[in-house]
């Protein structure tokens, strides 16, 4: 099946710094990837939809200047949390849309971000 | 706004008990429906999906779900749970008129006692 990886799996950074999270589709090309945030004991909240070669579409309430998304190739999307604050600490999950065009998504293992 | 409701946040069952997890969504248009499972420490995996056709969908590991359009529901069932089914279960809906994104329910944590 389709495999999506994320790197790093865990990251700790200091307040005010930026951190980049990578999402890769390993055995297929993904024109559309998604970035989610999952708070403890809560569901996944979609942050943005990342389309290869174009600007990401952000959900209402998500600061696009704070959460920079780049989808420069068909197998890689990156999420950069800029000027991180402790409240940005969370579990970030990416997914890739089924290459056949269906609405099914394949999920990465997630990245645990802790901002100190 | 489109929303997905999962009514039980925590469910505890003994092995061999039957399972039914509820999922309702807020919208009457065309939908694609999914159940995902997240085992402890692992990433989300697809259990089953419904796009069209037979409203009774069979998935992996003995799970099934029934789409009842009139009730806006897509409940997940398993006749006999095992200890290894301990996990968190998420219902997700693609509201097709609003693009390709998925809206997730809050999740149900299932603990199966051996």
């Amino acid at each position: 099946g389709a495999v999506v990886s994320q790197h790093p799996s865990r990251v700790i950074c200091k307040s005010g710094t930026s951190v980049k999270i990578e999402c890769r589709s390993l055995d297929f090309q993904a024109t559309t990837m998604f970035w989610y945030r999952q708070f403890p004991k809560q569901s996944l909240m979609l942050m943005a939809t990342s389309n290869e070669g174009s600007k990401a579409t952000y959900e209402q309430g998500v600061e696009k200047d704070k959460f920079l998304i780049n989808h420069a190739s068909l197998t890689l999307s990156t999420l950069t949390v800029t000027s991180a604050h402790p409240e940005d600490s969370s579990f970030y999950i990416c997914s890739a849309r089924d290459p056949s065009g269906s609405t099914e998504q394949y999920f990465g293992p997630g990245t645990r971000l802790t901002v100190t | 706004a489109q929303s997905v409701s999962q009514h039980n946040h925590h469910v505890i069952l003994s092995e061999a008990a039957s399972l039914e997890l509820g999922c309702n969504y807020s919208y009457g248009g065309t939908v694609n429906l999914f159940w995902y499972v997240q085992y402890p420490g692992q990433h989300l995996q697809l259990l089953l999906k419904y796009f069209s056709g037979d409203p009774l969908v069979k998935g992996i590991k003995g799970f099934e779900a029934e789409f009842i359009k009139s009730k806006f529901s897509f409940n997940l069932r398993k006749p006999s749970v095992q200890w290894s089914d301990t996990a968190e279960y998420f219902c997700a809906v693609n509201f097709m008129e609003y693009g390709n994104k998925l809206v997730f329910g809050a999740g149900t944590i299932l603990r199966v006692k051996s």
Side-chain angles (χ1 to χ4, degrees):
Chain A
V3 178
V4 175
S5 70
Q6 279 184 246
H7 178 78
S9 57
R10 292 176 182 270
V11 59
I12 300 172
C13 70
K14 292 188 176 180
S15 189
T17 62
S18 296
V19 61
K20 180 185 286 188
I21 303 170
E22 295 185 346
C23 176
R24 293 181 185 274
S25 56
L26 296 186
D27 50 0
F28 65 102
Q29 294 184 328
T31 55
T32 305
M33 290 183 170
F34 303 87
W35 286 95
Y36 295 85
R37 186 170 177 178
Q38 186 177 27
F39 291 99
K41 300 183 180 181
Q42 294 188 33
S43 188
L44 285 77
M45 299 298 295
L46 180 65
M47 299 174 66
T49 302
S50 169
N51 295 296
E52 187 267 336
S54 64
K55 290 184 179 181
T57 304
Y58 290 81
E59 294 299 302
Q60 194 171 12
V62 177
E63 299 176 61
K64 60 182 179 183
D65 294 330
K66 181 169 185 61
F67 298 100
L68 300 178
I69 291 171
N70 185 278
H71 194 159
S73 79
L74 287 171
T75 59
L76 174 64
S77 175
T78 60
L79 168 68
T80 301
V81 183
T82 63
S83 187
H85 289 280
E87 57 263 32
D88 299 325
S89 299
S90 191
F91 196 55
Y92 293 87
I93 302 173
C94 75
S95 70
R97 187 179 173 190
D98 184 355
S100 74
S102 82
T103 54
E104 182 176 349
Q105 295 177 20
Y106 303 100
F107 286 83
T111 297
R112 173 74 60 193
L113 170 64
T114 303
V115 184
T116 61
Chain B
Q2 309 89 52
S3 65
V4 178
S5 299
Q6 289 182 243
H7 310 296
N8 307 100
H9 192 57
H10 280 95
V11 173
I12 302 174
L13 294 173
S14 298
E15 277 193 309
S18 64
L19 170 71
E20 181 161 3
L21 301 182
C23 173
N24 286 87
Y25 59 94
S26 62
Y27 165 82
T30 304
V31 292
N32 291 162
L33 302 158
F34 304 85
W35 275 98
Y36 284 90
V37 61
Q38 189 172 29
Y39 297 102
Q42 297 189 29
H43 62 279
L44 283 165
Q45 301 173 37
L46 182 69
L47 270 181
L48 47 78
K49 61 190 176 186
Y50 172 82
F51 291 161
S52 64
D54 188 344
L56 184 61
V57 179
K58 296 197 180 296
I60 61 171
K61 304 187 181 186
F63 286 91
E64 65 178 32
E66 184 175 11
F67 171 45
I68 303 179
K69 189 174 182 179
S70 61
K71 295 185 178 180
F72 306 134
S73 70
F74 189 55
N75 292 355
L76 180 71
R77 300 194 292 248
K78 185 170 183 178
S80 176
V81 295
Q82 301 171 307
W83 176 81
S84 58
D85 293 324
T86 295
E88 188 161 14
Y89 294 80
F90 293 95
C91 179
V93 179
N94 168 243
F95 299 94
M96 294 187 68
E97 290 182 19
Y98 294 90
N100 300 318
K101 57 188 180 183
L102 292 180
V103 179
F104 280 81
T108 298
I109 298 171
L110 171 66
R111 186 164 78 88
V112 180
K113 299 184 293 183
S114 58

